């Protein structure tokens, strides 16, 4: 944003990929000054989220740059969705080992395709040479008081999740040679891993319906653990009810049950929304699935207490992955 | 913000260092959810800036972490100052090679000391393992229409700069063994390099007075070149008038003139403000220096044309550093 550090002259070409005329009339000044200026919507609150993605940690070296551009934006859009916020603006900062124009063009293509689809204006950023690292800040808006948080779950609420869980982690396990699936199934799993779909429309539709929400980025049990802690409740989850891909379901009944269970309750990177809602609104939630075009599945209940407790159709779950024992109440 | 990526459990301790109760009543929700929520000030526009600092590029390995915490925030505050914005909120993202509690405590100490002094609330962030990289997003506010930009300089305006220029680059040259200064002078130069003072109060005071502004982060000629380009004007600078430390001034008349000239017109990292203002407001600008406690020096004029032209008390400058020839009009 402050221009490019001395010696980064060759990185000036990067700005070409990220400089576009902003489409929203609320952007007073976009890329190209010391800062960007926007006009906030009266009566709304502003929601901020930032995620840093490091090569070798959050994505593999050699990851398709177009998918990476998509994913870097998607993971932040997912955070805004979990807050019930309408995405508005993005700041894109990145360190890159070199200014490879083909890589950059592909990354920008993936980023802007999703930005355009979700009406997000990229209003600024910063680029420099360094070990590959992408840091996106997303700015959303929500009518004052209408944001969803982790803190509103109440005894008697239902627990819901969108889409299916475990796909991304199962895809990663296949890529790492730890298991196998049919090649037709693999493409879908890897697409979920590399190009997740943030549930933006669902997030805004849940305003006034959901009592608490979070995006499933670190694994269902851990993420619901945050909701339980912030809300001061216990959350019971029926593992048998968690929606999953057929490839994962097949493993759940067989010799790879441990891996399948781990994908389901501890798999990160799916970027689905988990949320709670009063049971009196069960029909409204079910109807939303059709409106936003995303399956919604009721997977549990909120009770008094603390922590997250897993069961399988009511029976205690003996073989819950050990690493997640401490989340149990 | 979205919690910590799977496997970053040991980084949870980092959050302890960056989690504080927000002081502004405009922070609806701070650290600890999928996003932060703030209430924008009615009648104001929001100003955004982001800077990514990479170890080995923007700061030396082994840099004092307390000073680094200060500087990471200072460089962004400097961008907001150049826009005339009042700083409000910060998002702090960082990749760290390890979760060294002493390093983190010192970094947080430096960051929060400056944040407190400038009334900035840290409302969110993200931490992960990786090559050391700090990415700060700063959020400021300005009354609608009152922001300073690079685009407003007009034929006949004066050109001003705050503080002194070249200190940081001269300090770096000494640290790198390329020149020497008295040890008493060195401490001041290195403090300017490692812990610059953003001109926040000056920036807001320049609203309604300055016609254009920029922070001197990449070197005076390059930065004024951005103003000349965006404003569609030529900027003439009297190198003899540029304010400088005594240690730099001494070299300007001697055998190290080339180095001194380069520090003066091309030294980055000083984080002073360069700005233009109508000559009719010369007395108002001069009076501001006393109000905000920062020296302000008139160093040039805005003319019709394009580019930046250097002279020394009216005489052409024969020995301008070659790398900056292309900025000349």
């Amino acid at each position: 944003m402050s221009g490019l550090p001395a010696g980064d002259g060759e990185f000036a070409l990067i700005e070409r990929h990220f400089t576009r005329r902003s489409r929203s009339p609320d952007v007073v000044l976009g890329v190209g000054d010391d800062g960007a200026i926007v006009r906030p919507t009266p009566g709304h609150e502003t929601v901020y989220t930032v995620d840093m993605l490091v090569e070798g940690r959050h994505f593999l070296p050699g990851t398709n740059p177009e998918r990476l551009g998509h994913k870097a934006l998607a993971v932040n859009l997912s955070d805004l969705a979990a807050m019930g916020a309408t995405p508005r603006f993005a700041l894109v900062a990145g360190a890159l080992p070199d200014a490879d124009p083909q890589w950059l063009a592909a990354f920008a293509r993936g980023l802007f395709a999703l930005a355009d689809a979700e009406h997000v204006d990229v209003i600024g950023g910063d680029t420099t040479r360094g070990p590959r690292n992408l840091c996106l800040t997303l700015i959303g808006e929500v009518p004052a008081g209408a944001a969803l948080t982790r803190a509103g779950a109440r005894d008697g609420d239902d627990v819901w999740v969108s889409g299916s869980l475990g796909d991304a982690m199962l895809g990663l396990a296949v890529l790492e040679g730890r298991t196998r699936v049919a090649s037709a199934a693999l493409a879908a799993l890897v697409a979920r891993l590399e190009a997740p779909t943030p549930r933006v429309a669902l997030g805004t539709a849940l305003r006034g319906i959901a009592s608490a929400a979070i995006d499933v980025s670190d694994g269902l049990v851990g993420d619901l653990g945050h909701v339980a802690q912030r809300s001061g409740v216990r959350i019971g989850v029926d593992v048998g009810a968690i929606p999953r891909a057929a490839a994962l379901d097949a493993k759940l009944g067989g010799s790879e049950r441990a891996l399948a269970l781990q994908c389901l309750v501890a798999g990160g990177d799916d970027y689905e929304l988990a949320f709670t809602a009063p049971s009196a609104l069960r029909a409204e939630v079910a109807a939303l699935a059709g409106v936003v075009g995303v399956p919604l599945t009721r997977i549990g209940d909120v009770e008094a207490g603390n922590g997250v407790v897993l069961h399988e159709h009511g029976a205690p779950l003996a073989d819950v992955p050990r690493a997640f024992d401490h989340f149990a109440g």
Side-chain angles (χ1 to χ4, degrees), chain A residues 216 219-226 237 264-266 308 310 320 324 327-328:
Chain A
V216 185
L220 180 69
V221 175
D223 289 323
L224 285 180
H226 294 310
V237 172
L264 208 54
V265 306
V308 176
L310 303 179
V320 57
F324 301 94
F327 288 106

Side-chain angles (χ1 to χ4, degrees), chain A residues 195-223:
Chain A
T197 304
R199 303 305 189 188
V200 175
L202 174 61
T204 55
L206 286 174
R207 291 177 195 158
I209 294 178
S211 52
I214 193 167
D215 78 319
V216 185
S217 53
D218 299 341
L220 180 69
V221 175
D223 289 323

Side-chain angles (χ1 to χ4, degrees), chain A residues 148-274:
Chain A
L148 308 176
T149 73
R150 302 175 176 179
R154 294 292 171 263
D155 184 8
D157 283 355
D158 295 329
V159 180
W160 298 80
V161 70
S162 65
S164 60
L165 294 187
D167 301 25
M169 190 176 177
L170 183 57
L172 183 63
V174 176
L175 292 182
E176 292 178 346
R178 292 187 282 121
T179 188
R180 303 173 128 196
V181 298
S183 60
L186 180 60
L189 298 178
V190 172
R192 290 270 290 167
L193 174 68
E194 295 186 348
T197 304
R199 303 305 189 188
V200 175
L202 174 61
T204 55
L206 286 174
R207 291 177 195 158
I209 294 178
S211 52
I214 193 167
D215 78 319
V216 185
S217 53
D218 299 341
L220 180 69
V221 175
D223 289 323
L224 285 180
H226 294 310
V227 173
Q229 189 199 355
R230 289 255 158 186
S231 298
V233 296
R234 169 177 299 209
I235 291 178
V237 172
D238 179 0
V239 169
I242 301 174
R244 59 248 192 185
L248 202 157
D249 191 61
K251 293 185 191 298
L252 204 60
S255 62
E256 292 185 293
R257 176 172 164 86
L259 173 69
L261 260 185
Q262 193 174 28
C263 290
L264 208 54
V265 306
D269 263 0
D270 282 318
Y271 300 101
E272 296 294 349
L273 295 188

Side-chain angles (χ1 to χ4, degrees), chain A residues 46-53 58 70-89 114 118 120 134-142 146-150 162 196-204 206-207 212-219 223 226-227 268-275:
Chain A
T46 314
V47 180
Y48 296 105
T49 177
V50 59
D51 265 300
M52 179 174 270
L53 302 182
H58 303 98
H70 171 99
K71 184 166 180 175
L73 183 57
V75 301
N76 278 287
L77 286 172
S78 181
D79 282 323
L80 288 186
M83 305 294 292
T86 303
R88 298 298 313 275
F89 313 111
L114 181 56
E118 299 292 354
V120 171
L134 303 164
C135 184
L136 269 71
T137 302
L138 262 280
I139 300 152
E141 290 188 322
V142 68
L148 308 176
T149 73
R150 302 175 176 179
S162 65
T197 304
R199 303 305 189 188
V200 175
L202 174 61
T204 55
L206 286 174
R207 291 177 195 158
I214 193 167
D215 78 319
V216 185
S217 53
D218 299 341
D223 289 323
H226 294 310
V227 173
D269 263 0
D270 282 318
Y271 300 101
E272 296 294 349
L273 295 188
F275 59 95

